[in-house]
mmCIF file of all heavy atoms in Angstrom:
data_model
loop_
_atom_site.group_PDB
_atom_site.id
_atom_site.type_symbol
_atom_site.label_atom_id
_atom_site.label_comp_id
_atom_site.label_asym_id
_atom_site.label_seq_id
_atom_site.Cartn_x
_atom_site.Cartn_y
_atom_site.Cartn_z
ATOM 1 N N MET A 5 -24.289 4.313 4.365
ATOM 2 C CA MET A 5 -25.264 3.145 4.145
ATOM 3 C C MET A 5 -26.570 3.510 4.432
ATOM 4 O O MET A 5 -26.894 4.098 5.519
ATOM 5 C CB MET A 5 -24.860 1.924 4.972
ATOM 6 C CG MET A 5 -25.567 0.745 4.514
ATOM 7 S SD MET A 5 -25.302 -0.667 5.773
ATOM 8 C CE MET A 5 -26.650 -0.294 6.845
ATOM 9 N N THR A 6 -27.557 3.439 3.548
ATOM 10 C CA THR A 6 -28.922 3.670 3.808
ATOM 11 C C THR A 6 -29.746 2.484 4.263
ATOM 12 O O THR A 6 -29.446 1.348 3.702
ATOM 13 C CB THR A 6 -29.593 4.367 2.705
ATOM 14 O OG1 THR A 6 -30.973 4.657 3.004
ATOM 15 C CG2 THR A 6 -29.622 3.512 1.483
ATOM 16 N N THR A 7 -30.727 2.608 5.157
ATOM 17 C CA THR A 7 -31.573 1.577 5.520
ATOM 18 C C THR A 7 -33.049 1.940 5.163
ATOM 19 O O THR A 7 -33.896 1.248 5.641
ATOM 20 C CB THR A 7 -31.474 1.284 6.962
ATOM 21 O OG1 THR A 7 -31.793 2.444 7.766
ATOM 22 C CG2 THR A 7 -30.061 0.766 7.364
ATOM 23 N N PRO A 195 -34.471 -3.013 10.522
ATOM 24 C CA PRO A 195 -34.155 -1.661 10.110
ATOM 25 C C PRO A 195 -35.118 -0.956 9.197
ATOM 26 O O PRO A 195 -35.011 0.172 8.907
ATOM 27 C CB PRO A 195 -32.779 -1.855 9.310
ATOM 28 C CG PRO A 195 -32.839 -3.361 8.842
ATOM 29 C CD PRO A 195 -33.486 -4.073 9.982
ATOM 30 N N LEU A 200 -36.312 3.264 13.261
ATOM 31 C CA LEU A 200 -35.018 3.056 12.718
ATOM 32 C C LEU A 200 -34.891 3.605 11.299
ATOM 33 O O LEU A 200 -33.881 4.413 10.992
ATOM 34 C CB LEU A 200 -34.845 1.538 12.454
ATOM 35 C CG LEU A 200 -33.983 0.824 13.557
ATOM 36 C CD1 LEU A 200 -32.541 1.290 13.564
ATOM 37 C CD2 LEU A 200 -34.591 0.903 14.970
ATOM 38 N N GLU A 204 -32.135 6.610 10.742
ATOM 39 C CA GLU A 204 -31.192 6.439 9.689
ATOM 40 C C GLU A 204 -31.355 7.412 8.630
ATOM 41 O O GLU A 204 -30.283 8.006 8.226
ATOM 42 C CB GLU A 204 -31.340 5.034 9.112
ATOM 43 C CG GLU A 204 -30.931 3.894 9.997
ATOM 44 C CD GLU A 204 -29.406 3.951 10.314
ATOM 45 O OE1 GLU A 204 -28.600 3.889 9.328
ATOM 46 O OE2 GLU A 204 -28.904 4.166 11.504
ATOM 47 N N SER A 238 -29.858 4.694 16.786
ATOM 48 C CA SER A 238 -29.395 3.552 15.832
ATOM 49 C C SER A 238 -27.979 3.721 15.454
ATOM 50 O O SER A 238 -27.474 2.816 14.749
ATOM 51 C CB SER A 238 -30.326 3.831 14.526
ATOM 52 O OG SER A 238 -29.716 4.935 13.733
ATOM 53 N N GLY A 239 -27.178 4.593 16.067
ATOM 54 C CA GLY A 239 -25.915 4.664 15.814
ATOM 55 C C GLY A 239 -25.397 5.342 14.523
ATOM 56 O O GLY A 239 -24.281 5.356 14.093
ATOM 57 N N VAL A 240 -26.341 5.971 13.771
ATOM 58 C CA VAL A 240 -26.098 6.456 12.448
ATOM 59 C C VAL A 240 -25.012 7.559 12.465
ATOM 60 O O VAL A 240 -24.210 7.629 11.657
ATOM 61 C CB VAL A 240 -27.472 6.912 11.844
ATOM 62 C CG1 VAL A 240 -28.073 7.961 12.467
ATOM 63 C CG2 VAL A 240 -27.080 7.280 10.237
ATOM 64 N N ARG A 243 -21.517 6.187 13.145
ATOM 65 C CA ARG A 243 -20.896 5.593 11.928
ATOM 66 C C ARG A 243 -20.467 6.799 11.033
ATOM 67 O O ARG A 243 -19.401 6.752 10.470
ATOM 68 C CB ARG A 243 -21.977 4.780 11.150
ATOM 69 C CG ARG A 243 -22.452 3.559 11.969
ATOM 70 C CD ARG A 243 -23.083 2.569 11.129
ATOM 71 N NE ARG A 243 -24.107 2.890 10.335
ATOM 72 C CZ ARG A 243 -25.346 3.160 10.660
ATOM 73 N NH1 ARG A 243 -25.871 2.872 11.827
ATOM 74 N NH2 ARG A 243 -26.312 3.584 9.635
ATOM 75 N N LEU A 265 -30.095 -0.293 20.671
ATOM 76 C CA LEU A 265 -28.711 -0.688 20.788
ATOM 77 C C LEU A 265 -28.464 -1.987 19.953
ATOM 78 O O LEU A 265 -27.458 -2.143 19.335
ATOM 79 C CB LEU A 265 -28.233 -0.947 22.243
ATOM 80 C CG LEU A 265 -27.980 0.341 23.040
ATOM 81 C CD1 LEU A 265 -27.611 -0.057 24.486
ATOM 82 C CD2 LEU A 265 -26.800 1.158 22.459
ATOM 83 N N GLY A 266 -29.363 -2.920 20.012
ATOM 84 C CA GLY A 266 -29.199 -4.122 19.352
ATOM 85 C C GLY A 266 -29.270 -3.822 17.773
ATOM 86 O O GLY A 266 -28.354 -4.449 17.088
ATOM 87 N N GLU A 267 -30.001 -2.972 17.343
ATOM 88 C CA GLU A 267 -30.007 -2.637 15.902
ATOM 89 C C GLU A 267 -28.827 -1.805 15.579
ATOM 90 O O GLU A 267 -28.172 -2.056 14.528
ATOM 91 C CB GLU A 267 -31.275 -1.773 15.605
ATOM 92 C CG GLU A 267 -32.639 -2.515 15.875
ATOM 93 C CD GLU A 267 -32.955 -3.727 14.986
ATOM 94 O OE1 GLU A 267 -32.232 -3.747 13.849
ATOM 95 O OE2 GLU A 267 -33.635 -4.550 15.326
ATOM 96 N N ALA A 268 -28.303 -0.933 16.439
ATOM 97 C CA ALA A 268 -27.232 -0.140 16.189
ATOM 98 C C ALA A 268 -25.970 -0.940 16.065
ATOM 99 O O ALA A 268 -25.171 -0.814 15.156
ATOM 100 C CB ALA A 268 -26.987 0.880 17.279
ATOM 101 N N ALA A 269 -25.808 -2.009 16.913
ATOM 102 C CA ALA A 269 -24.622 -2.888 16.990
ATOM 103 C C ALA A 269 -24.503 -3.605 15.611
ATOM 104 O O ALA A 269 -23.612 -3.850 14.974
ATOM 105 C CB ALA A 269 -24.687 -3.765 18.121
ATOM 106 N N ALA A 270 -25.741 -4.066 15.139
ATOM 107 C CA ALA A 270 -25.804 -4.828 13.882
ATOM 108 C C ALA A 270 -25.381 -4.003 12.702
ATOM 109 O O ALA A 270 -24.708 -4.476 11.862
ATOM 110 C CB ALA A 270 -27.246 -5.388 13.745
ATOM 111 N N LEU A 271 -25.833 -2.753 12.737
ATOM 112 C CA LEU A 271 -25.508 -1.762 11.627
ATOM 113 C C LEU A 271 -24.065 -1.562 11.543
ATOM 114 O O LEU A 271 -23.352 -1.345 10.634
ATOM 115 C CB LEU A 271 -26.423 -0.591 11.788
ATOM 116 C CG LEU A 271 -27.931 -0.803 11.363
ATOM 117 C CD1 LEU A 271 -28.699 0.465 11.754
ATOM 118 C CD2 LEU A 271 -28.028 -1.140 9.910
ATOM 119 N N VAL A 272 -23.509 -1.308 12.850
ATOM 120 C CA VAL A 272 -22.104 -0.957 12.897
ATOM 121 C C VAL A 272 -21.243 -2.156 12.440
ATOM 122 O O VAL A 272 -20.196 -2.091 11.657
ATOM 123 C CB VAL A 272 -21.682 -0.607 14.380
ATOM 124 C CG1 VAL A 272 -20.143 -0.891 14.610
ATOM 125 C CG2 VAL A 272 -21.901 0.778 14.602
ATOM 126 N N HIS A 273 -21.614 -3.373 12.854
ATOM 127 C CA HIS A 273 -20.916 -4.548 12.370
ATOM 128 C C HIS A 273 -21.002 -4.750 10.901
ATOM 129 O O HIS A 273 -20.089 -5.104 10.194
ATOM 130 C CB HIS A 273 -21.518 -5.868 13.034
ATOM 131 C CG HIS A 273 -20.832 -7.100 12.729
ATOM 132 N ND1 HIS A 273 -19.676 -7.457 13.364
ATOM 133 C CD2 HIS A 273 -21.086 -8.052 11.879
ATOM 134 C CE1 HIS A 273 -19.269 -8.603 12.872
ATOM 135 N NE2 HIS A 273 -20.079 -8.955 11.895
ATOM 136 N N ARG A 274 -22.233 -4.379 10.314
ATOM 137 C CA ARG A 274 -22.298 -4.558 8.823
ATOM 138 C C ARG A 274 -21.489 -3.560 8.082
ATOM 139 O O ARG A 274 -20.945 -3.773 6.949
ATOM 140 C CB ARG A 274 -23.788 -4.322 8.462
ATOM 141 C CG ARG A 274 -24.182 -4.671 7.044
ATOM 142 C CD ARG A 274 -25.743 -4.415 6.889
ATOM 143 N NE ARG A 274 -26.477 -5.143 7.717
ATOM 144 C CZ ARG A 274 -27.831 -4.985 7.838
ATOM 145 N NH1 ARG A 274 -28.423 -4.069 7.109
ATOM 146 N NH2 ARG A 274 -28.479 -5.713 8.758
ATOM 147 N N ALA A 275 -21.130 -2.417 8.769
ATOM 148 C CA ALA A 275 -20.298 -1.341 8.101
ATOM 149 C C ALA A 275 -18.880 -1.629 8.471
ATOM 150 O O ALA A 275 -18.032 -0.911 7.966
ATOM 151 C CB ALA A 275 -20.720 0.006 8.740
ATOM 152 N N GLY A 276 -18.572 -2.643 9.205
ATOM 153 C CA GLY A 276 -17.165 -3.043 9.525
ATOM 154 C C GLY A 276 -16.450 -1.960 10.453
ATOM 155 O O GLY A 276 -15.290 -1.799 10.421
ATOM 156 N N LEU A 277 -17.275 -1.372 11.316
ATOM 157 C CA LEU A 277 -16.690 -0.311 12.180
ATOM 158 C C LEU A 277 -16.783 -0.704 13.639
ATOM 159 O O LEU A 277 -16.588 0.145 14.487
ATOM 160 C CB LEU A 277 -17.676 1.012 12.084
ATOM 161 C CG LEU A 277 -17.549 1.668 10.628
ATOM 162 C CD1 LEU A 277 -18.561 2.785 10.531
ATOM 163 C CD2 LEU A 277 -16.084 2.190 10.341
ATOM 164 N N PHE A 283 -20.625 -0.033 21.842
ATOM 165 C CA PHE A 283 -21.898 0.390 22.454
ATOM 166 C C PHE A 283 -21.975 -0.162 23.891
ATOM 167 O O PHE A 283 -21.491 -1.177 24.257
ATOM 168 C CB PHE A 283 -23.106 -0.208 21.669
ATOM 169 C CG PHE A 283 -23.214 0.321 20.313
ATOM 170 C CD1 PHE A 283 -22.673 -0.303 19.169
ATOM 171 C CD2 PHE A 283 -23.796 1.576 20.029
ATOM 172 C CE1 PHE A 283 -22.708 0.160 17.888
ATOM 173 C CE2 PHE A 283 -23.876 2.063 18.760
ATOM 174 C CZ PHE A 283 -23.309 1.413 17.712
#
Side-chain angles (χ1 to χ4, degrees):
M5 187 192 90
T6 181
T7 58
L200 263 295
E204 290 293 300
S238 71
V240 62
R243 302 196 308 275
L265 281 178
E267 300 292 341
L271 291 168
V272 157
H273 185 80
R274 192 178 303 172
L277 295 171
F283 294 98

